[in-house]
Amino acid sequence: TGAMCSLQRQLEIQESQLQRAKSEKERLQKELRERENQLQAMSAKFCSLREERKHEEMMVTIEKENCSLRQVVTEQEFKLAEKNKLISDLQGTVSQLQAEALTNRYNIYKQQRAQEEMQSQAETLQHAELQTRVALECITSRFERFRSKIIQATFGTAGIKPPQAELTDEEVLEAMQKIINERIEFHQILKQKG
């Protein structure tokens, strides 16, 4: 955004300089036309005075003025050429700044789109995380209830000493395995006795 503002300011400055150069060019062209009109008028006057011998001094003066006007016209044409070159350079600079501004706008647009996409992905991940947490809590709750029922079934059996402290999963598994083994042995004895 700072680069965009800087480019915009440069663009405005260049356009202002371009406008001033165009105004100067129009002024020089107007002055050149006036000088040419003066030159034509002086040339007509020179032709008229040349026919009269009495005005030889005036003819010399007019000739000097014509030379001076030609020099002024040459200088004005040179200045006009310089102004045209300046206008061309300014137009090139303006075009370059406009291209840079367009590129920066496009880059900003792409960054905004990428940011929106990342925001959307983050929201999706947060939603998935929330669902996962809910599912995990549900599974954990079911597991705890299942484990509690297993402990009750295992240590609620006659002849099994109830636990005095928190049981580990290995201890619960050993107790269940012991009950299963005892039942298998009892079943084998019953089979042997018919």
Side-chain angles (χ1 to χ4, degrees):
T1 304
M4 283 291 299
C5 291
S6 176
L7 287 174
Q8 190 66 33
R9 283 196 297 274
Q10 291 182 18
L11 184 61
E12 291 172 358
I13 292 170
Q14 295 293 336
E15 287 176 346
S16 175
Q17 291 179 355
L18 180 61
Q19 190 64 34
R20 286 198 298 272
K22 286 182 178 178
S23 300
E24 181 68 12
K25 176 183 175 183
E26 291 174 0
R27 187 186 67 78
L28 290 173
Q29 286 177 337
K30 182 179 178 182
E31 189 174 347
L32 182 60
R33 286 194 297 271
E34 291 175 355
R35 295 292 185 184
E36 288 175 348
N37 291 336
Q38 290 178 4
L39 183 61
Q40 290 176 358
M42 295 300 289
S43 296
K45 188 176 181 182
F46 174 81
C47 291
S48 174
L49 291 175
R50 190 174 53 184
E51 296 174 0
E52 303 174 8
R53 293 179 181 178
K54 295 179 182 180
H55 299 91
E56 288 182 357
E57 287 186 10
M58 193 175 290
M59 288 171 59
V60 172
T61 304
I62 291 172
E63 186 65 32
K64 288 181 179 179
E65 289 181 358
N66 284 342
C67 289
S68 177
L69 287 173
R70 287 190 191 97
Q71 184 178 359
V72 170
V73 168
T74 302
E75 290 175 356
Q76 295 297 327
E77 287 177 342
F78 178 74
K79 288 182 180 179
L80 185 60
E82 287 184 338
K83 293 297 180 183
N84 284 334
K85 184 177 183 302
L86 177 60
I87 288 171
S88 177
D89 293 342
L90 289 174
Q91 285 175 336
T93 303
V94 168
S95 298
Q96 181 181 356
L97 289 173
Q98 286 174 339
E100 290 178 4
L102 185 63
T103 302
N104 283 337
R105 286 194 193 101
Y106 179 68
N107 289 336
I108 289 172
Y109 170 75
K110 285 203 306 185
Q111 289 175 355
Q112 287 175 342
R113 289 297 301 273
Q115 185 177 359
E116 290 173 0
E117 185 176 348
M118 289 177 63
Q119 183 68 28
S120 175
Q121 290 178 355
E123 290 175 357
T124 302
L125 289 174
Q126 287 176 347
H127 183 66
E129 181 187 7
L130 182 61
Q131 289 181 330
T132 304
R133 287 178 183 271
V134 171
L136 180 61
E137 289 177 1
C138 181
I139 291 171
T140 303
S141 176
R142 291 177 61 187
F143 173 75
E144 289 298 327
R145 287 197 303 270
F146 180 69
R147 187 174 184 273
S148 177
K149 288 180 180 180
I150 289 175
I151 292 173
Q152 289 176 2
T154 303
F155 292 94
T157 307
I160 301 295
K161 185 179 180 181
Q164 300 297 321
E166 182 72 20
L167 293 171
T168 64
D169 293 341
E170 289 78 8
E171 291 172 340
V172 174
L173 184 62
E174 287 176 3
M176 287 184 62
Q177 191 65 47
K178 182 179 178 183
I179 293 172
I180 292 169
N181 290 337
E182 288 175 353
R183 289 190 178 181
I184 291 173
E185 290 176 4
F186 182 70
H187 183 69
Q188 291 296 332
I189 293 171
L190 288 178
K191 281 178 68 176
Q192 289 174 0
K193 292 188 176 182

